[in-house]
Amino acid sequence: MASATAGPPPQAPAEPATRGRRPQAPGTRHRTRRVPGWAWALPPVAALGLSFLYPLVLVAKQSLSPDSGGHSFAAYTQVFHEDSFRKALWNTVWIATASTAGCLVLGFALALVIAFVPFPGGKALSRFIDVFLAFPSFLITLALLFVYGTVGMANGLWTDATGAAHGPVAFLQTPWGVLLAEVTYFTPFVMRPLLAAFSQVDTAQVEAASSLGARAPRIVRQIILPEALPSLAAGGSLVLVLCLNEFGIVLFTGAKGVTTLPMLVYSKAILDGDYPGACAVAMVAVVLSVALYALYRAAAARALGGGRRARA
Amino acid sequence: MLVHSRKGRWTAWLFFFVLFLPLFALPFLVVVMASFATHWSGAFPSHATFAHYRDVTHGDSLHALTTSLLTALAASLLALVIGTWAALAAERLRGAARRVLDGLFMLPVAVPSVVVGLSLLVAFSQPPFLLNGTARIVVLAHTVLVTAFAYQSVSAALSRLDPAYEQSAASLGARPATVLWRIRIPLLLPSLTAAAGLCFALSMGELSATMMLYPPDWVPLPVRIYGATSRGSLFEGAALAVVLMLTTLVVLLGMSRVRTRASYR
Amino acid sequence: MDPAADRTDTPQGAGIRFDRVTVAYGGTTVLDALDLTVEPGEVMALLGPSGSGKTTALRAVAGFVRPASGRVMIGGRDVTDLPPYKRGIGMVVQQYALFPHLRVDQNVAFGLKARRTPRGRIAARVTEALEMTGMAGYARRYPRELSGGQQQRVAIARALAIRPGVLLLDEPLSALDARLRSGMLAELSRLHRELPDVSILYVTHDQIEALTLADRIAVLDQARLQDCGTPHELYRTPRTEFTATFVGNANLLRVRAGEPGSVSLDATTLRVTAPDDASTGPAAGAEATLCVRPHALRITDAKATGPAAGSPEAAAVPGANILHGTVTDVQWRGHTHRLLVEAHGHELRADVGDLRQPPRVGDDVALTFDAEDGVLLPAGLAGGVPVG
């Protein structure tokens, strides 16, 4: 093994420093002057401020400065009196709420099967869900046009079978079409955190419960659901925010009857050129979404904390 | 296992696939089928053709594809740099400062993308910054929207990184900059490529803010798809959508290959 | 391998000094005013249960925790305010922390590159460090391709490559299985013989590792230094009840001191080792604690040495040192029998050589020990930790 010549002889003379970092006199405080921690955060914060916060502030400002000049809440009072705004607000809220409820029920049921009634290919399926999350939402509406549209699979089946000129399926241009698209697109957003939470559920607990004679519904209610509740809350509130903000699905539906807040912002600004009005609607949408997003962050923090506790 | 009887299991699986296939698999299937057709009057499309794909290889559609690729490339690289920097800076902070930074960088997720588009339109159509009508404003919007995801995934990866590595490196005499370049960045590489892939995919499909901002000479693929479907060319839109999905998929797969090749242990 | 040409931040043969080092996390003191000196070239083991503050002490030397008060010196230089990368120490942690993206040789070269050692010398030093740890054949492998014991050797090679004056080892063997551990223990002793100038601070909760490897052992408990001395001193003449039980699992008996060299337990007089310095021993008639190691107790035929148990005559036999009791448990441990014996209000542990006819539970037995195996704890230091 080693030739035992490692290291200098015990009384090696002090070597001259070849480069820098000389041992310093004992007792002296040699704190290198360092950039404080918060200073490193300044460049990215500045970038974010310039490209995101500053424009948002300008939107708020513009919403308070009507074209006629001066500062007033005129844009807001006008927007609030418009029928289209009230309808858009109502549409946005109810479609988002209903979609979220649908996503939660569907996502919970599907994730339950993947996690606890495993089948070959289940793993690949969860990867498919990850890919699904990376695709744009409007693809779903585009696909639904081919399934339920005036020319499309469902109506095609009907006309093939009955010989009628038109099929009966015509809900795509209604809020129900938007609802179906949003439930389809956002359900994976609920499933992913749920699958993560389910993988934390102690299988021994499930086995112990079934050995004690509990049947599947009772196990789901008493063991799995409590464990999944924080993730359900987090996933649900995220989906609620994303549904409130959803634009692509509504735009592709192309229905004049279904207007949501983001759609209203778009049509006021781009189609009508009414910037103060668009900015006022935008501020309402921002307040609504950010408030809900704050709730989501709180729920997500709890879900994470709960998970950590469960693991400890 | 939750369900023990064979009958119960088959019921659960049946229930699963009755819901899953029409909701999640059928959409992709019909888009792919439609992209090879020109008519859809029965249960299935008819008049098979490759014409839509031939169109993608030249003219405006090809331009839209390259526009989208360039935008996504620029936006995801910018987002990766800014997001990683911010995540590294946030890691050194504690308490309220940390929470403020977290909240700030996640805020673009909460604000509707349409509003982000509107705000950039308002801010950069006036001095001192005149970007309206350029490609740069589209890239800027995409960067703002995807930086949050880069920040989030890098932050999560940082919190999973074992401090023993950087401490061992420091004890061996490596300065903080050396520790960052030689140890932490290489160890973060799998997460960084995953974050880049996600940012790229999200930027490829971004429609909401882009609709507010795109100049006539910088039309990304999603806008082009919308244009096609809104003027009734559904089948052309389907072909473009397939191209969009395939490109996104190829990039994601490529990134995950880099990930497996570079991942350790 | 040119000794004059290499340069380290700490001169070879640097010692470590803790000068009233106190570390606190959010109001909890995890290390309380530690005063300890590691001489140049010495192996000092920090021994204690988890939460005793031993790892904190090591991390204070490495620079990963900052003392709330007190100073840390390496080689006579105050390093309390130096960042870790300027301290020039080698460190090996429990999970090795080999850089997974670097090959073995790159891992070992890392510290040399970080201190800008000339390229030509790096290769020689890497080879030297890998040969010293027997890993020369694995230079091109990645850490994930190595077994736990091999990773351990690479981690040591990586720490030694920078020729540190001080080597910090934080539970380096606890991730290995029992057989590998004893092999590595021998390796570490050999390495230290080859590098006699390197001071080693060795953190462990395992008394065997500490007794085998260390020149001196510092025993920590509840954030405080309990005892410090050579393994022999600690084992033979522990100064606190904690040391006596933590190192070697001694029996502690509450006795009353008699004249120097004798104590009384109930009515029995026992001969014990007289302290070298009579002033440190307890005054006659005072309460005292007697420490007897389990393997120092033997079973004796009580009838042969004296009259029946408890009778005044038994105590009269000089040097008999007989303790009468009842067996409450018998555990066979292969080479010994561990007996638990209820005697004089104490539960005594006795390790006796493999008996052909071991006593059974409920049997009355007589135990004896030699006077030199009975040690009185110094007065005034006996309090503290309850006997386990």
Side-chain angles (χ1 to χ4, degrees), chain A residues 1-10 15-24 26-32 34, chain C residues 1 3-4 6-9 12 71 76-78 81-83 86 114-116 128 131-132 134 163 190 194-195 197:
Chain A
M1 208 168 274
S3 50
T5 51
E15 309 136 8
T18 48
R19 201 183 310 201
R21 273 181 288 154
R22 193 73 203 117
Q24 285 154 44
T28 50
R29 297 198 167 215
H30 19 242
R31 258 233 136 134
T32 36
R34 282 212 234 145
Chain C
M1 290 197 256
D6 83 87
R7 183 193 66 78
T8 50
D9 288 332
Q12 294 276 326
R71 316 299 294 170
R77 171 171 71 136
D78 185 344
D81 295 313
L82 277 189
K86 289 193 176 169
R115 51 194 64 210
R116 303 204 175 91
E128 178 197 30
E131 276 175 356
M132 210 186 297
R163 298 214 178 143
R190 181 187 58 76
E194 288 181 17
L195 303 169
D197 304 317

Side-chain angles (χ1 to χ4, degrees), chain C residues 63-268:
Chain C
F64 298 125
V65 295
R66 220 192 119 68
S69 66
R71 316 299 294 170
V72 179
M73 325 277 277
I74 298 177
R77 171 171 71 136
D78 185 344
V79 298
T80 318
D81 295 313
L82 277 189
Y85 60 89
K86 289 193 176 169
R87 296 193 176 197
I89 35 127
M91 188 169 95
V92 178
V93 296
Q94 197 173 344
Q95 296 298 335
Y96 322 135
L98 293 181
F99 307 129
H101 59 294
L102 299 180
R103 289 193 313 264
V104 164
D105 53 348
Q106 292 169 322
N107 260 285
V108 177
F110 183 87
L112 300 168
K113 278 189 183 151
R115 51 194 64 210
R116 303 204 175 91
T117 308
R119 194 178 292 264
R121 211 173 298 149
I122 290 181
R125 292 266 287 267
V126 168
T127 312
E128 178 197 30
L130 286 176
E131 276 175 356
M132 210 186 297
T133 50
M135 289 299 291
Y138 298 87
R140 316 282 302 170
R141 300 266 190 107
Y142 279 93
R144 61 172 177 274
E145 299 164 338
L146 302 180
S147 70
Q150 291 169 331
Q151 291 189 30
Q152 167 75 65
R153 287 156 186 267
V154 175
I156 292 171
R158 184 175 70 176
L160 289 179
I162 62 170
R163 298 214 178 143
V166 167
L167 187 59
L168 306 179
L169 303 173
D170 185 4
E171 304 263 8
L173 305 185
S174 61
L176 300 177
D177 61 49
R179 270 179 57 186
L180 268 175
R181 203 178 305 167
S182 63
M184 273 313 290
L185 212 50
E187 288 277 295
L188 284 174
S189 328
R190 181 187 58 76
L191 271 175
H192 186 239
R193 281 197 302 278
E194 288 181 17
L195 303 169
D197 304 317
V198 179
S199 316
I200 298 180
L201 194 61
Y202 188 102
V203 165
T204 181
H205 64 272
D206 185 315
Q207 47 153 325
I208 304 290
E209 287 175 27
L211 293 171
T212 310
L213 213 56
D215 297 321
R216 280 194 299 153
I217 300 174
V219 181
L220 276 84
D221 185 48
Q222 295 177 357
R224 285 172 173 279
L225 180 66
Q226 300 286 334
D227 211 340
C228 182
T230 65
H232 193 255
E233 281 167 5
L234 285 190
Y235 198 80
R236 290 290 308 171
T237 53
R239 299 197 310 140
T240 65
E241 289 187 7
F242 180 79
T243 311
T245 49
F246 194 76
V247 182
N249 202 12
N251 295 298
L252 297 180
L253 297 118
R254 308 276 171 233
V255 295
R256 194 164 292 282
E259 62 204 66
S262 89
V263 295
S264 57
L265 178 62
D266 298 336
T268 314

Side-chain angles (χ1 to χ4, degrees), chain A residues 253-274:
Chain A
T253 305
K256 287 279 166 282
V258 192
T259 306
T260 60
L261 287 183
M263 197 63 204
L264 195 62
V265 171
Y266 170 73
S267 60
K268 269 190 185 301
I270 303 299
L271 306 179
D272 307 343
D274 172 14

